[in-house]
Amino acid sequence: MAAVTADHKLAGRVSSRLHRAVILLGPPGAGKGTQAQRIAQRYRLPHLSTGDMLRDHIQRGTELGRKAKPVMERGELVPDEIVLGMVEDRISRPDCDNGFVFDGFPRTLAQAEDLERICRQHKFGYTIVLHMVVDPDLLMRRLTGRRICKTGGHIYNIYDRPPKTAGICDEDGSELMHRPDDTEPVILGRLGAYERETKPLVDYYKGQGLLIAVDAMADADAVTASIAKTLDRAEAPK
Ligand code: ADP
């Protein structure tokens, strides 16, 4: 079945709000962006990608963007104080009052602690942490093959999930782009940063009993279906 059909079917279901922070935890290339987009659509929550927010600052030439650009080009993490200010700003908008789906945040312990404070402020139920478990050997292929729609952010992979016409988005006909940090040397830097700074969050959330493992090796539709099952259970009245 075409990815698009299944995706639309899932997204089409009318769903009540989760009133939760949902976070996707996993290495670059685990499919966080693809799944976050779909979950956000299904549960009518905003999809917050700190990577997209930073790239937007770079494109607009803001001071924050000027600081973040060289760091991102090296595949390192942008300093916490920059990311935290940007996240606080975004979360203070009313569309976040009922919850949000985070993709790429938190990435350090300090960020995780800040998120806890934000969730308390919003009086959310426990945070849902989806741990995208994937074989490290697969990540390089996923990242070097990734192409992203310039308008809608739809994600393809030239090896595993190619668009019908090369370089063009099936959904809206926009041009597809290759992210400048999706090149082998930068990817190695990003994977290293994940191991050092983000992976410790797996134990942190496991210790709090919040970690939900997701088999992110399956095809994208199967991953979406498994996440949806988990979230529907979380949504059901206790
Ligand atoms: P991926 O998860 O595939 O690496 P992202 O778009 O989430 O892609 O992130 C791209 C880059 O943006 C990261 O390599 C990092 O430099 C920066 N970045 C994104 N989110 C954060 C964050 N929460 N903290 C620090 N840096 C971040």
Side-chain angles (χ1 to χ4, degrees):
M1 189 185 346
V4 168
T5 322
D7 194 10
H8 285 175
K9 233 191 257 165
L10 281 171
R13 175 181 169 274
V14 177
S15 181
S16 60
R17 291 179 192 277
L18 273 171
H19 203 72
R20 297 284 171 83
V22 179
I23 68 179
L24 286 116
L25 187 62
K32 300 187 298 290
T34 301
Q35 298 303 329
Q37 248 174 27
R38 296 177 178 195
I39 301 164
Q41 199 181 358
R42 178 180 165 95
Y43 293 95
R44 318 227 187 291
L45 294 173
H47 167 203
L48 310 183
S49 155
T50 41
D52 286 349
M53 290 180 208
L54 290 165
R55 281 184 287 276
D56 181 55
H57 274 279
I58 292 174
Q59 205 169 6
R60 287 188 288 120
T62 66
E63 196 193 332
L64 194 158
R66 276 196 297 277
K67 283 187 189 151
K69 189 168 186 268
V71 182
M72 290 171 74
E73 282 172 350
R74 291 194 299 271
E76 293 167 9
L77 292 191
V78 174
D80 284 337
E81 62 275 18
I82 294 183
V83 173
L84 291 175
M86 185 183 75
V87 164
E88 291 264 350
D89 225 46
R90 179 64 187 87
I91 282 179
S92 63
R93 291 197 219 150
D95 65 332
C96 291
D97 285 352
N98 291 305
F100 34 78
V101 181
F102 255 127
D103 149 22
F105 181 90
R107 257 174 154 101
T108 63
L109 198 56
Q111 292 180 13
E113 285 166 356
D114 208 56
L115 179 63
E116 255 174 56
R117 186 183 55 72
I118 290 167
C119 290
R120 272 199 303 274
Q121 256 171 19
H122 277 72
K123 299 192 168 49
F124 287 162
Y126 61 87
T127 301
I128 298 175
V129 185
L130 300 167
H131 179 209
M132 309 281 286
V133 181
V134 62
D135 177 351
D137 293 345
L138 214 107
L139 298 175
M140 190 55 85
R141 177 186 168 92
R142 281 193 173 177
L143 289 166
T144 52
R146 177 160 71 176
R147 298 293 181 272
I148 304 165
C149 157
K150 278 189 172 171
T151 313
H154 304 105
I155 301 167
Y156 298 84
N157 186 289
I158 54 168
Y159 309 120
D160 305 323
R161 205 149 52 96
K164 289 192 187 96
T165 310
I168 302 293
C169 177
D170 295 346
E171 301 272 328
D172 57 25
S174 305
E175 202 185 325
L176 301 182
M177 62 143 185
H178 187 191
R179 251 172 57 176
D181 60 347
D182 277 347
T183 55
E184 208 165 321
V186 186
I187 293 169
L188 288 172
R190 287 158 60 202
L191 293 173
Y194 175 78
E195 287 292 319
R196 279 190 313 274
E197 307 191 58
T198 310
K199 212 172 169 191
L201 294 183
V202 170
D203 280 339
Y204 173 79
Y205 285 119
K206 200 185 272 175
Q208 296 184 13
L210 295 178
L211 200 74
I212 300 167
V214 175
D215 172 12
M217 300 281 285
D219 81 78
D221 290 341
V223 177
T224 308
S226 123
I227 293 178
K229 233 179 173 175
T230 303
L231 295 185
D232 285 347
R233 274 199 301 268
E235 181 190 33
K238 297 279 176 303

